[in-house]
């Protein structure tokens, strides 16, 4: 039986020898959560208000916009990524979905026509 071994793994195998275990993967010695847990309530409260109340030009929150506002308020030491905000929300049990834009007809009778059509 032939095993396909990538070049990096093969080189390490030749240096260590076939009977020796592979070295353990080294990770960071300590990790720090990107989002401070003591600000969980602040994040939830922030997302329950319109970004326009904070002087932003949109009425829809994005993860990146939330990260930007949190940094501006001094809640984080550095500007986090949208992914870091998404992970914090996930930990809080909040699912994040992209906002969808809905088309609305300028027809003044649109609502009544829609009601008749959809029952």
């Amino acid at each position: 039986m032939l095993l396909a071994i990538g070049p990096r793994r093969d080189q390490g195998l030749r240096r260590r020898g076939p009977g020796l275990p592979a070295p353990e993967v080294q990770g960071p010695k300590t990790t720090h959560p990107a989002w401070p847990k003591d600000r969980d309530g602040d994040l939830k409260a922030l997302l329950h208000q319109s970004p326009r109340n904070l002087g932003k030009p949109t009425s829809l929150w994005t993860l990146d916009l939330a990260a930007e506002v949190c940094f501006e308020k001094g809640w984080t030491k550095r500007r986090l990524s949208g992914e870091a905000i998404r992970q914090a929300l996930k930990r809080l049990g909040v699912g994040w979905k992209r906002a969808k834009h809905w088309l609305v007809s300028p027809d003044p009778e649109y609502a009544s026509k829609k009601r008749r059509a959809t029952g």
Side-chain angles (χ1 to χ4, degrees):
M1 177 165 109
L2 233 111
L3 293 175
I5 298 176
R8 297 182 95 193
R9 182 171 171 86
D10 186 37
Q11 288 170 1
L13 187 62
R14 275 188 255 139
R15 274 187 245 124
R16 286 189 314 275
L20 299 175
E24 291 184 29
V25 175
Q26 296 278 329
K29 294 193 186 296
T30 59
T31 60
H32 303 284
W35 177 256
K37 288 186 179 185
D38 61 329
R39 291 289 186 181
D40 287 351
D42 294 330
L43 179 60
K44 277 184 139 178
L46 175 73
L47 298 176
H48 278 99
Q49 59 182 305
S50 172
R52 290 189 194 270
N53 294 346
L54 302 165
K56 300 301 175 186
T58 181
S59 60
L60 301 175
W61 282 109
T62 64
L63 293 170
D64 287 331
L65 181 60
E68 179 183 318
V69 170
C70 291
F71 177 69
E72 289 171 359
K73 288 183 164 284
W75 295 349
T76 57
K77 294 179 182 177
R78 61 182 173 84
R79 189 183 181 290
L80 301 179
S81 66
E83 176 62 15
I85 297 295
R86 188 195 66 75
Q87 287 178 3
L89 290 171
K90 182 178 177 184
R91 185 175 46 78
L92 294 171
V94 177
W96 186 268
K97 292 188 179 182
R98 182 178 56 87
K100 296 170 181 70
H101 295 279
W102 298 96
L103 297 177
V104 180
S105 172
D107 182 359
E109 296 179 27
Y110 174 74
S112 64
K113 289 178 181 177
K114 182 177 176 182
R115 242 188 328 272
R116 278 183 281 167
T118 60

